[in-house]
Amino acid sequence: MSDVYAVDLALDLRESVPDAVLADLRRHLDPESPEADDAFPMLAARGPAARIGGVLFGELVHRAGGWALTVRQEIHAEFLPEIDALVERLVPHSRTVGVVGQCRFHEDHAPELLINAAGTLRKTPLRYAE
């Protein structure tokens, strides 16, 4: 059994997002960053997914009034606290209200939603209706 999670993010960041937050985000999106600082770039995988199906990607694009971020990654369970910490740093600068992403154990059918609740990250697991 594998401890792989599907992590999807889709949010817009304000133009005023601090440079340090953008630099950290870019480092995680850059497949070349381990050579620079020995840190694992959690959002840098590209190409076919091994366990969750589909394609892995991560893209940050400048747009009028800020930045658009979309990510789809396979993350090992040991990196989930770092993913949470990264999303917690992004959410206060997000223009996206409500759902900004989801995290799902690769063998589960229902994800845990990542929600921007007034600038604070809230996690809400989805459950099947009985």
Side-chain angles (χ1 to χ4, degrees), residues 8-125:
D8 300 287
L9 301 173
L11 60 143
D12 292 328
L13 299 169
R14 293 183 192 90
E15 188 75 43
S16 61
V17 64
D19 290 339
V21 174
L22 279 177
D24 188 37
L25 179 57
R26 285 185 178 117
R27 181 182 63 78
H28 283 294
L29 289 164
D30 182 4
E32 304 297 320
S33 67
E35 297 174 10
D37 60 16
D38 294 333
F40 178 72
M42 297 180 294
L43 309 177
R46 303 294 185 268
R51 299 296 214 139
I52 64 172
V55 176
L56 305 178
F57 63 90
E59 192 74 35
L60 178 67
V61 177
H62 192 260
R63 62 183 295 168
W67 302 87
L69 173 68
T70 303
V71 172
R72 183 162 196 273
Q73 295 289 308
E74 288 180 325
I75 302 293
H76 192 274
E78 70 182 281
F79 293 108
L80 288 178
E82 286 88 350
I83 288 289
D84 287 346
L86 177 61
V87 177
E88 285 174 347
R89 288 192 302 278
L90 296 175
V91 163
H93 309 289
S94 176
R95 295 185 325 184
T96 306
V97 178
V99 177
V100 295
Q102 63 183 16
C103 183
R104 177 184 58 81
F105 180 63
H106 82 283
E107 294 179 355
D108 287 347
H109 297 286
E112 178 176 60
L113 298 181
L114 306 175
I115 299 170
N116 175 2
T120 301
L121 176 62
R122 300 265 188 240
K123 295 161 68 171
T124 303

